[in-house]
Amino acid sequence: MTLSSTTIDYERLRTTLDWKAAEAELGWEPGKPLNIGYLAVDRNVERGLGDKPALIHEDSTGTVRTFTYADVKRLSNGFANRLQEFGVKELDRVCLFLDKAPELYIGFAGILKLGAVAQPLFSAFGEDSLLQRVEDSKAVAIITSRKLVSRVRKIRDRVPELKHVLVIDGNAEGKPLRTDEGEFAFDMEAEAVPEFEIAKTHRESPSVLHYTSGTTGKPKGALHVHSSVFGQYLTTKMVLDLKDDDVYWCTADPGWVTGTSYGIIGPWTMGVTQVVLDAGFSAERWYQTMAKHKVTVWYTAPTAIRLLMKAGTDVVKQHDLSALRHMCSVGEPLNPEGVHWGREAFDLDFHDTYWQTETGSMMITNLPGMVVKPGSMGRPFPAVDGAVLDPVTWEPVSEVGKVGMIGIRPPWPSLMRTYWNNSATYYSKFHNGWYVTGDRGSIDADGYFWFSGRDDDVINTGGHLVGPFEIESALLEHPAVAESAAIGKPDPVNMEVVKAFVALKPGFTGDDDTELSIMNLIRKKLSPLAMPQEIEFVDKLPKTRSGKIMRRLLKAQEWGEEIGDISTLEND
Ligand code: WT7
């Protein structure tokens, strides 16, 4: 491997690049109000980009709608205005529970312009997943659709703070809305207003709340602030390499942090045109979308790349993808095969990026012009201080290739400021002045980071984190389940899928019907992602003496790994 073809001076960037560069470029000065909604929308209109498309939206039927920055301004004003009329105030949490409708992107900007906190929720969430997140945040309003409102109705009586339910297609034919219960038909076009006085939020004002799963307990809400924009802007510019004329496509759903940091905030603060495809996955459809809209920069995920690989290179060649000039990936380890295939199919490198909901913006990256080493996540973004830490001393390990905990040195603008209602867990993430990611990795002689694995029991399925505890709690709601353990099982496409070990109550049998009804329950209560792809019925589960289920043992068996020393676990 030669690094001689590197065309950027990484070492020089490390000493010169400062997040503050973003402040000046976005026209912000210390002491002035700072609002992401303003920077992402109104500022672009003020600097003459009003007629430029901000969003090219294509739905499952192929209908394309284009929204200019001027459109996004008046439409996002409408959201802010209506919420304000309902009495929603600065710092109140407002949920977005939508498929990838234009209202999701524009509503997000509107919530921020009002100074409220945007809380995106993945549209596939079932009742339990929804309830946990709305209950914890005490959101006062939710923006949803006719298709999804029935799930909101199911939890209303348990979330008394949730007063306003805005239904984007609430005027459509069908069952009437329950207006007496605060449901309101919000027609984005009809609600548009030319001007809205944007809240004078500041650097540390809360902006976005994203829930993420851990090993224990319920999902935790990572709270971000308006100054996160400096991190998102600078990484969008330098890693995604966006330029004025680009047509950018981020395939992530804004229910997850990639879809907000790099599917709304990053591209829009740069005044770039972005494409959104609100349709299910198919390789053919994805290439059609790229060809039709002449996508130039593409940010996607390893699971999608593996699905595209399965569809082959012939289908790539049937489309005119000549506009495409840069590709990036995030969310899970990008296998070397994915990079090799990318070169064959597109004649480009997939540039891996590594970060988390908590970090808010990319931390380890492959900058354009850097030599891509297939299988490596790249090097710390030049303004980021990243290291591999010894888990006992929490000092950086100096040995090349030695595996330790990946840590990032605070501060940086987009680091979460706390976990909502859970500052103890937030503080537990810091050791010896480092933010500890919970991932293990190593650094090679060229300073490239290599991912080894997570240091907890969280399951990463197709780039989405699922907590074993959430699944196990939901499993207990099934009448046949006595106890259970959920682990990640290797999967060629999704990297991991959920597998559940289940011990049944007396009188129940582990037949196909039981298996199916358990699977369905999880799909409905949590989400299709959390649904076990396999259920193994067992007589009992391996436990420590204190009664803790040994997920690690089950996982090692599943992955065919050395089980290692389990004596400590047994004595736990
Ligand atoms: C976890 C964070 C960041 C947006 C999407 C995920 C894993 C993320 C990579 C990568 C290997 C990766 C880590 C991390 N992860 N990117 N490039 N290579 N693993 O955000 O849901 O908070 O998940 O995803 O385990 O901790 P998230």
Side-chain angles (χ1 to χ4, degrees):
M1 169 83 47
T2 164
L3 296 183
S4 58
S5 49
T6 304
T7 56
I8 58 151
D9 189 347
Y10 180 83
E11 296 307 332
R12 196 183 65 83
L13 278 172
R14 274 200 74 76
T15 53
T16 53
L17 188 72
D18 190 320
W19 298 112
K20 284 204 166 44
E23 297 180 5
E25 287 183 31
L26 287 167
W28 184 80
E29 285 160 27
K32 275 175 58 172
L34 177 65
N35 186 290
I36 295 177
Y38 167 74
L39 294 176
V41 183
D42 294 36
R43 178 172 174 269
N44 291 319
V45 177
E46 286 170 16
R47 63 193 181 112
L49 300 178
D51 293 335
K52 181 174 178 177
L55 177 65
I56 299 173
H57 182 274
E58 184 169 328
D59 72 11
S60 56
T61 67
T63 306
V64 176
R65 289 161 74 192
T66 299
F67 299 86
T68 64
Y69 276 101
D71 291 331
V72 176
K73 178 181 168 183
R74 62 187 179 80
L75 296 168
S76 59
N77 284 348
F79 279 96
N81 183 58
R82 174 59 64 186
L83 289 166
Q84 192 171 52
E85 272 178 19
F86 281 151
V88 178
K89 305 179 300 301
E90 283 191 33
L91 305 184
D92 282 344
R93 277 74 60 212
V94 177
C95 294
L96 292 147
F97 185 46
L98 292 168
D99 290 330
K100 290 179 182 168
E103 284 87 346
L104 172 53
Y105 299 79
I106 298 169
F108 180 87
I111 295 167
L112 295 180
K113 283 162 85 168
L114 174 63
V117 178
Q119 184 189 345
L121 298 164
F122 186 41
S123 61
F125 279 154
E127 188 183 332
D128 286 9
S129 294
L130 191 63
L131 176 66
Q132 285 167 355
R133 289 162 177 80
V134 179
E135 208 173 28
D136 189 61
S137 73
K138 301 214 173 357
V140 300
I142 189 165
I143 302 168
T144 188
S145 63
R146 190 170 274 276
K147 182 181 129 193
L148 300 170
V149 73
S150 59
R151 281 184 239 162
V152 178
R153 285 175 181 166
K154 283 200 184 116
I155 67 161
R156 278 302 287 286
D157 57 340
R158 285 166 284 172
V159 284
E161 285 85 3
L162 187 68
K163 294 275 185 325
H164 313 285
V165 180
L166 281 65
V167 184
I168 59 166
D169 45 3
N171 286 322
E173 294 291 308
K175 283 197 194 128
L177 294 182
R178 301 178 184 169
T179 45
D180 53 331
E181 292 171 23
E183 290 180 3
F184 177 84
F186 184 90
D187 175 342
M188 180 165 73
E189 274 299 336
E191 297 278 339
V193 287
E195 297 302 329
F196 179 83
E197 196 182 327
I198 296 179
K200 293 193 173 41
T201 43
H202 55 84
R203 290 190 72 105
E204 292 299 311
S205 303
S207 54
V208 180
L209 183 63
H210 269 295
Y211 278 75
T212 179
S213 296
T215 300
T216 53
K218 293 181 179 170
K220 304 176 295 289
L223 183 68
H224 293 281
V225 295
H226 280 270
S227 59
S228 71
V229 69
F230 300 129
Q232 290 139 353
Y233 171 87
L234 206 60
T235 46
T236 300
K237 183 177 166 185
M238 295 184 62
V239 184
L240 297 174
D241 196 35
L242 292 190
K243 311 232 189 298
D244 288 348
D245 293 335
D246 274 316
V247 177
Y248 165 69
W249 186 27
C250 170
T251 62
D253 189 302
W256 315 108
V257 71
T258 309
T260 56
S261 288
Y262 297 102
I264 305 180
I265 302 173
W268 279 1
T269 52
M270 292 203 63
V272 161
T273 299
Q274 69 159 329
V275 171
V276 166
L277 176 64
D278 185 11
F281 177 85
S282 101
E284 178 71 31
R285 186 74 196 267
W286 274 36
Y287 299 135
Q288 270 172 9
T289 302
M290 286 202 258
K292 182 163 158 189
H293 304 295
K294 300 191 170 51
V295 168
T296 59
V297 178
W298 182 32
Y299 195 18
T300 191
T303 290
I305 295 168
R306 288 189 288 266
L307 284 168
L308 295 172
M309 275 171 81
K310 272 176 81 173
T313 29
D314 287 354
V315 53
V316 183
K317 309 286 178 201
Q318 286 157 15
H319 295 86
D320 176 9
L321 305 183
S322 53
L324 188 65
R325 65 168 186 83
H326 189 47
M327 325 191 289
C328 295
S329 169
V330 65
E332 15 156 6
L334 176 60
N335 341 40
E337 300 75 39
V339 177
H340 295 307
W341 177 77
R343 288 176 180 165
E344 188 188 317
F346 308 101
D347 204 18
L348 294 169
D349 277 333
F350 275 112
H351 292 70
D352 194 14
T353 64
Y354 163 90
W355 56 291
Q356 304 178 306
T357 304
E358 288 87 342
T359 71
S361 65
M362 299 168 185
M363 294 287 108
I364 315 285
T365 62
N366 283 283
L367 293 172
M370 224 166 101
V371 168
V372 169
K373 293 193 189 192
S376 160
M377 307 191 289
R379 304 187 69 181
F381 182 71
V384 165
D385 193 3
V388 163
L389 307 169
D390 179 307
V392 176
T393 61
W394 300 111
E395 292 292 339
V397 300
S398 44
E399 263 169 85
V400 166
K402 187 164 165 135
V403 174
M405 303 289 279
I406 299 172
I408 315 284
R409 191 101 193 159
W412 67 92
S414 56
L415 171 63
M416 63 170 169
R417 295 304 195 266
T418 192
Y419 286 121
W420 192 260
N421 286 336
N422 197 348
S423 56
T425 307
Y426 170 78
Y427 287 116
S428 74
K429 298 268 169 172
F430 297 86
H431 296 280
N432 192 26
W434 294 89
Y435 164 74
V436 177
T437 58
D439 288 312
R440 287 179 282 111
S442 60
I443 308 176
D444 71 14
D446 299 313
Y448 280 64
F449 280 56
W450 297 75
F451 182 83
S452 325
R454 290 186 62 93
D455 199 52
D456 59 18
D457 292 339
V458 172
I459 302 156
N460 187 336
T461 177
H464 300 307
L465 304 188
V466 185
F469 179 79
E470 292 158 60
I471 301 168
E472 291 158 10
S473 306
L475 282 168
L476 284 181
E477 294 181 40
H478 193 279
V481 176
E483 58 179 7
S484 67
I487 61 157
K489 160 188 149 93
D491 181 80
V493 171
N494 289 293
M495 187 174 88
E496 289 184 329
V497 290
V498 177
K499 171 168 180 179
F501 293 83
V502 168
L504 294 171
K505 286 182 187 158
F508 288 93
T509 37
D511 53 20
D512 287 355
D513 285 350
T514 313
E515 186 180 40
L516 206 63
S517 78
I518 294 175
M519 286 176 173
N520 273 331
L521 176 89
I522 303 301
R523 190 172 50 81
K524 255 185 90 207
K525 291 263 176 201
L526 298 178
S527 78
L529 284 169
M531 185 184 82
Q533 302 290 314
E534 186 186 331
I535 294 179
E536 188 173 327
F537 294 105
V538 291
D539 292 338
K540 59 180 179 14
L541 293 162
K543 284 198 199 124
T544 61
R545 283 196 197 146
S546 62
K548 232 166 97 187
I549 291 166
M550 293 161 73
R551 290 195 201 100
R552 227 160 266 187
L553 182 76
L554 294 167
K555 190 166 174 187
Q557 283 168 355
E558 204 61 42
W559 291 68
E561 284 167 4
E562 282 289 309
I563 292 162
D565 180 11
I566 55 168
S567 57
T568 50
L569 281 170
E570 284 177 322
N571 290 314
D572 191 20

